[in-house]
């Protein structure tokens, strides 16, 4: 039975991946940070589905999860690893506290590397596949999302290098690049934007407050109208099971369009489009007029 480890399965894309792959008959090890999230997932899935406590920033926790999975899969190894866990904290780069930046990189980039290193021996055994859930933000930076852009661009680069290194071992590495997807991330972004607005010093709020509010409103609106997480789960399924897995999977609302524009348009054009689409340009003009 193919066995897959997925990180961040309490909600959203990770949960959809866990339930989709479970329904296909795979042995799913679903990473969660709270036991109750594991219980809820198990109730929604089959008896095969195994919740595993897995915080990607906690090395001891990763080792314990790896040991549990190794014991269950034995010599057959691991067919797939889906690095999906992620968070988003909006903040202007000018006022980005270094500890917040480091923490974001830890969850969205370094944590994935730690999980990959822990599970690679099992993946090599099965000539398995690694699916890294990046984002359109891994190739298109948005204003006030410097933390996220840095981590996701890093994940894209890491994935390219790893794919080349793993080719001879028969371990395929790909990235899934979601656009707008309706998940819990939306509510978290609204909450974190409020916290951020409180945290900024007065001059930071004067300079960026309106833009932060506009960005949160835009992302929230786009995500509400966005694709169901199952759309991304389908891309992940293709990446894990197809005889010819791709290297990149744009998935969900807006992903293909934005990534094509990024490829064909000169940077200044792209900057104008992103500035307008995120509400940043208009909010900056308003702030300037005050
Ligand atoms: N939604 C979108 O529009 C969108 C677009 C592009 C890319 N993505 C990417 O898709 C992935 C999933 O996001 P989502 O939209 O499904 O958001 P979500 O519903 O908020 O899910 C994020 C998951 O990551 C988990 N997580 C957070 N910190 C973790 C840590 N330190 N260790 C392990 N797990 C952790 C969360 O667990 P807790 O419940 O314990 O916090 C949750 O299960 C992310 O990598 C995100 O960047 C999403």
């Amino acid at each position: 039975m193919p066995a897959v480890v997925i990180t961040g399965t309490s909600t959203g894309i990770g949960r959809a991946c866990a339930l989709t792959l479970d329904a296909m008959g795979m042995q799913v090890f679903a990473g969660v940070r709270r036991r109750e999230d594991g219980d809820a997932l198990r109730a929604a899935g089959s008896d095969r589905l195994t919740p595993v406590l897995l915080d990607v920033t906690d090395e001891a926790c990763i080792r314990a999860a790896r040991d549990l999975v190794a014991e269950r899969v034995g010599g057959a190894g691991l067919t797939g690893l889906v690095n999906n866990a992620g968070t988003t904290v909006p903040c202007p780069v000018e006022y980005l506290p270094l500890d917040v930046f480091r923490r974001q990189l830890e969850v969205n980039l370094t944590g994935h590397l730690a999980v990959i290193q822990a599970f690679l021996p099992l993946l090599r055994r099965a000539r398995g596949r690694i699916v890294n859930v990046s984002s359109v933000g891994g190739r298109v930076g948005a204003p006030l999302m410097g933390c996220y852009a840095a981590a996701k661009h890093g994940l894209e680069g890491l994935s390219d290098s790893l794919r080349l290194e793993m080719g001879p071992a028969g371990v395929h590495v790909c990235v899934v690049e979601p656009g707008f997807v309706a998940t819990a991330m939306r509510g978290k972004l609204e909450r974190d934007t409020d916290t951020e607005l409180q945290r900024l010093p007065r001059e930071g709020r004067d300079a960026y407050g309106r833009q932060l509010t506009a960005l949160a409103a835009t992302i929230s609106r786009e995500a509400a109208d966005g694709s169901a997480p199952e759309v991304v789960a389908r891309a992940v399924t293709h990446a894990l099971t197809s005889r010819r897995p791709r290297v990149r999977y744009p998935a969900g609302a807006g992903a293909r369009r934005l990534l094509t524009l990024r490829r064909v348009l000169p940077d200044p054009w792209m900057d104008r489009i992103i500035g307008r689409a995120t509400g940043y340009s208009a909010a900056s003009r308003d702030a300037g007029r005050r």
Side-chain angles (χ1 to χ4, degrees):
M1 191 195 308
V4 184
V5 170
I6 309 170
T7 63
T9 64
S10 64
T11 52
I13 293 169
R15 185 174 200 274
C17 288
L19 294 177
T20 301
L21 298 172
D22 175 57
M24 290 172 64
M26 293 194 192
Q27 161 82 82
V28 174
F29 295 97
V32 288
R33 291 195 294 173
R34 287 172 297 269
R35 281 186 201 287
E36 56 270 30
D37 290 331
D39 295 342
L41 203 55
R42 207 199 317 248
S46 77
D47 291 345
R48 279 185 311 274
L49 195 149
T50 311
V52 181
L53 284 179
L54 182 44
D55 183 328
V56 303
T57 64
D58 180 338
E59 287 180 42
C61 187
I62 295 172
R63 270 197 306 277
R66 188 266 325 273
D67 291 348
L68 182 145
V69 173
E71 193 192 309
R72 296 284 183 91
V73 300
L78 192 61
T79 320
L81 168 63
V82 182
N83 289 300
N84 164 77
T87 58
T88 318
V89 177
C91 181
V93 171
E94 188 175 359
Y95 290 97
L96 184 55
L98 292 182
D99 63 323
V100 172
F101 184 67
R102 290 195 177 104
R103 238 187 354 261
Q104 278 278 293
L105 287 186
E106 194 64 34
V107 179
N108 290 324
L109 182 58
T110 316
H112 295 322
L113 173 60
V115 173
I116 287 167
Q117 288 180 340
F119 285 99
L120 255 178
L122 293 177
L123 286 158
R124 276 179 178 276
R125 219 178 276 167
R127 294 171 75 85
R129 296 179 184 178
I130 298 173
V131 182
N132 290 328
V133 180
S134 174
S135 168
V136 166
R139 290 205 272 156
V140 181
L144 309 174
M145 299 286 278
C147 245
Y148 189 71
K152 293 294 189 182
H153 276 70
L155 184 60
E156 297 263 345
L158 188 78
S159 303
D160 284 343
S161 295
L162 184 64
R163 187 176 58 261
L164 291 165
E165 290 172 12
M166 284 295 121
V171 174
H172 182 71
V173 180
C174 75
V175 286
V176 172
E177 298 165 319
F180 293 105
V181 185
T183 68
M185 197 161 257
R186 177 182 156 216
K188 292 176 193 171
L189 185 82
E190 284 167 0
R191 183 199 60 202
D192 291 343
T193 301
D194 284 345
T195 312
E196 189 51 31
L197 281 167
Q198 304 303 322
R199 195 200 55 79
L200 279 175
R202 222 192 77 200
E203 63 272 21
R205 254 199 318 275
D206 288 348
Y208 294 104
R210 283 165 182 250
Q211 293 89 323
L212 268 166
T213 307
L215 177 86
T218 306
I219 295 186
S220 205
R221 205 171 44 243
E222 295 283 357
D225 295 341
S227 305
E230 285 72 19
V231 171
V232 183
R234 275 204 290 281
V236 170
T237 304
H238 188 282
L240 289 172
T241 59
S242 165
R243 281 181 52 203
R244 289 174 182 273
R246 297 175 201 140
V247 170
R248 292 176 209 287
Y249 288 85
R256 197 170 290 279
R257 180 169 40 94
L258 274 165
L259 293 174
T260 304
L261 290 177
R262 162 88 287 170
R263 209 175 52 245
V264 301
L265 290 182
D267 286 335
W269 288 32
M270 200 61 198
D271 284 357
R272 231 169 293 146
I273 290 172
I274 298 295
R276 211 173 292 158
T278 52
Y280 190 87
S281 307
S284 298
R285 274 195 302 275
D286 282 356
R289 272 201 291 269
R290 280 176 63 230

